[in-house]
Amino acid sequence: MMKSRWIRWNETAVLHLDYANFKQDIEGLRAEVLEADAEILREPKGTVLVLIDLRDTVASAAVVSMFKESSAITTPYIRRHALIGITGMKRYLADKVARLAGRPMRLFVTEKEALDWLVKGEPPSEHADVIGVTPQA
């Protein structure tokens, strides 16, 4: 059964990708990602707002590879990404995935901040906590 779910925030639908608390369970995370990808692919391209929660989930080469594969098929469907639970080495790995996907993602400390930003519609590149973009000189 998929942990991820659709939620409403300020009258706007957001897909909450609940990848939290998988710790070292790579196969459990893989099953969740596959189910979430299928849910995203049911939506019209360019419409999905996504909150990704990675708290207490391991960052490893296998996880990065899994997210790169997921991103390759879901990117056309995603309008905006917001991430929570990204600290330390996870930030570096998340940036790598975002760059490969060619889509900036914004990092947040709290779910509320992330949801507020997702539904407001401001561009991610205007913030310092954005990954997946090359800094301007």
Side-chain angles (χ1 to χ4, degrees), residues 57-95:
T57 294
V58 69
S60 68
V63 170
V64 169
S65 178
M66 181 187 328
F67 284 128
K68 283 195 289 190
E69 291 169 16
S70 170
S71 184
I73 62 170
T74 60
T75 290
Y77 297 84
I78 306 295
R79 189 166 82 210
R80 296 158 60 83
H81 289 91
L83 289 88
I84 56 176
I86 305 291
T87 58
M89 183 57 128
K90 275 195 218 174
R91 183 183 174 108
Y92 169 77
L93 296 173
D95 183 64

Side-chain angles (χ1 to χ4, degrees), residues 81-123:
H81 289 91
L83 289 88
I84 56 176
I86 305 291
T87 58
M89 183 57 128
K90 275 195 218 174
R91 183 183 174 108
Y92 169 77
L93 296 173
D95 183 64
K96 191 173 182 178
V97 171
R99 285 176 190 272
L100 289 168
R103 179 171 291 276
M105 300 178 191
R106 185 144 178 233
L107 307 177
F108 293 88
V109 174
T110 70
E111 189 172 310
K112 181 188 180 315
E113 291 171 327
L115 288 166
D116 284 344
W117 176 79
L118 278 169
V119 301
K120 281 183 187 171
E122 35 179 73

Side-chain angles (χ1 to χ4, degrees), residues 10-29:
N10 295 335
E11 304 304 316
T12 303
V14 175
L15 185 55
H16 179 240
L17 299 180
D18 190 355
Y19 302 149
N21 299 309
F22 278 95
K23 303 194 187 310
Q24 303 286 334
D25 182 7
I26 304 299
E27 290 312 309
L29 178 60

Side-chain angles (χ1 to χ4, degrees), residues 99 132-137:
R99 285 176 190 272
V133 295
T134 304
Q136 300 297 318

